[in-house]
């Protein structure tokens, strides 16, 4: 059962039971926080605390130019990923240099994903996609923290 509530601080909280195959179910929580991602110093306390305690995954499907600002925040967030956790970010040629810098600072290793490659190939073959930056929005690349 999925429970959705709005927190007093404006967050949206999703709570649900889930289990990996062969394991006992656990309660998981996803909290959506309203914040300016580019300015870690202004994050609300709930986000600062979550990052301080460590997170398992960070996913961002970047807007066209947010990748240009990765240097402002992504190292700070990726540094909070727990060992064995993942960072998934847009990895277009526009921001590849910044992602390379991120890997150097945070012990991230690129993970090959045949599923994401098939998804990207299918999306790039659409004719209405030809006018956009090649790879933009569909070059999501997983990195694993060792």
């Amino acid at each position: 059962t999925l429970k959705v509530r709005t927190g007093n601080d404006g967050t949206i909280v999703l709570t649900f039971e889930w289990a990996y195959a062969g394991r006992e179910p656990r309660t998981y929580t996803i909290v959506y926080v309203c914040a300016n991602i580019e300015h870690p110093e202004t994050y609300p306390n709930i986000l600062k605390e979550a990052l301080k305690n460590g997170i398992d995954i960070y996913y961002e499907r970047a807007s066209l130019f947010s990748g240009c600002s990765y240097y402002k925040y992504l190292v700070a967030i990726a540094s909070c990923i727990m060992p064995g956790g993942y960072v998934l970010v847009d990895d277009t040629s526009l921001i590849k240099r910044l992602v390379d810098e991120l890997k150097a600072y945070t012990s991230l290793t690129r993970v090959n994903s045949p599923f994401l490659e098939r998804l990207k190939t299918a999306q790039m073959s659409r004719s209405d996609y030809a006018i956009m930056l090649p790879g933009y929005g569909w070059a999501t690349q997983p990195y694993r923290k060792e």
Side-chain angles (χ1 to χ4, degrees):
T1 302
L2 175 66
K3 296 178 184 173
V4 181
R5 69 178 174 80
T6 302
N8 294 336
D9 53 2
T11 58
I12 298 172
V13 181
L14 308 177
T15 306
F16 56 95
E17 295 284 321
W18 188 77
Y20 288 98
R23 295 204 180 156
E24 291 294 315
R26 286 182 39 197
T27 300
Y28 290 85
T29 303
I30 299 172
V31 180
Y32 290 92
V33 178
C34 185
N36 183 336
I37 192 75
E38 293 184 2
H39 298 283
E41 70 280 2
T42 67
Y43 291 170
N45 286 336
I46 189 170
L47 181 54
K48 288 179 181 177
E49 283 298 312
L51 292 172
K52 183 173 123 182
N53 292 331
I55 57 177
D56 296 317
I57 191 166
Y58 175 76
Y59 168 74
E60 178 179 337
R61 182 162 175 227
S63 63
L64 186 55
F65 294 107
S66 69
C68 296
S69 299
Y70 277 172
Y71 69 94
K72 293 181 180 178
Y73 65 93
L74 201 49
V75 169
I77 291 174
S79 296
C80 299
I81 298 290
M82 306 273 275
Y86 290 87
V87 173
L88 287 88
V89 292
D90 239 352
D91 198 5
T92 64
S93 58
L94 175 68
I95 57 176
K96 184 171 181 354
R97 181 182 61 80
L98 297 171
V99 172
D100 288 344
E101 290 175 16
L102 168 72
K103 290 186 292 187
Y105 285 108
T106 58
S107 304
L108 295 174
T109 304
R110 184 180 175 143
V111 177
N112 292 324
S113 172
F115 171 76
L116 288 175
E117 286 302 316
R118 286 192 307 273
L119 181 64
K120 179 180 170 184
T121 300
Q123 184 63 22
M124 297 283 286
S125 68
R126 291 180 40 192
S127 61
D128 61 335
Y129 191 75
I131 61 169
M132 298 184 123
L133 179 67
Y136 162 68
W138 295 99
T140 303
Q141 177 60 52
Y143 295 89
R144 186 172 193 269
K145 186 161 187 179
E146 302 302 324

